[in-house]
Amino acid sequence: MSGAESFVPTPLMLSDAAQARLRALIQEEGNPALKLRVYVTGGGCSGFQYGFDFAEEVGEEDALIEFDDVAMVVDPLSYQYLVGSTVDFEEGLAGTRFLVQNPNATTTCGCGASFMV
């Protein structure tokens, strides 16, 4: 090779703010094996809604996406709806929350918790 590094795009990103919050939560729990599970379920005012949980185990079919010392886990059904998305974390008047910035969503609700593709 000519010394240039090859670029492999990551189909799902975790923002710096989300990584920092995940690190803090892992430290609070005292469990370095925790990963952020991101999933999509039916429902919400737009057809689908995002969900977040913590996982220690990674299923055989799950996608494990690592960012330095933190990681996200996504099941195969949810993955197809999340490709190209960024998981972010925000603190505001409505509280603190993880959220998904999804370029595949054609419609979203006012709070951003549900979407349609």
Side-chain angles (χ1 to χ4, degrees):
M1 291 191 66
S2 64
E5 292 184 36
S6 62
F7 173 74
V8 178
T10 302
L12 193 57
M13 297 300 298
L14 190 62
S15 73
D16 290 343
Q19 288 182 44
R21 180 62 179 155
L22 185 52
R23 278 186 199 95
L25 292 169
I26 289 169
Q27 187 173 9
E28 285 175 24
E29 292 295 318
N31 185 353
L34 286 180
K35 296 158 189 56
L36 180 65
R37 179 171 289 281
V38 183
Y39 58 92
V40 172
T41 60
C45 49
S46 296
F48 295 102
Q49 60 187 8
Y50 303 111
F52 302 94
D53 200 358
F54 290 102
E56 288 183 78
E57 303 295 321
V58 178
E60 191 174 300
E61 301 281 320
D62 288 339
L64 175 65
I65 306 161
E66 297 178 301
F67 300 89
D68 296 322
D69 59 340
V70 295
M72 273 190 299
V73 179
V74 182
D75 66 86
L77 183 61
S78 299
Y79 190 86
Q80 64 185 330
Y81 296 108
L82 295 169
V83 168
S85 297
T86 298
V87 175
D88 200 3
F89 180 78
E90 72 176 13
E91 296 182 65
L93 295 175
T96 61
R97 65 182 180 148
F98 285 100
L99 59 110
V100 176
Q101 298 168 351
N102 189 341
N104 305 309
T106 57
T107 304
T108 59
C109 68
C111 68
S114 68
F115 69 102
M116 182 182 299
V117 288

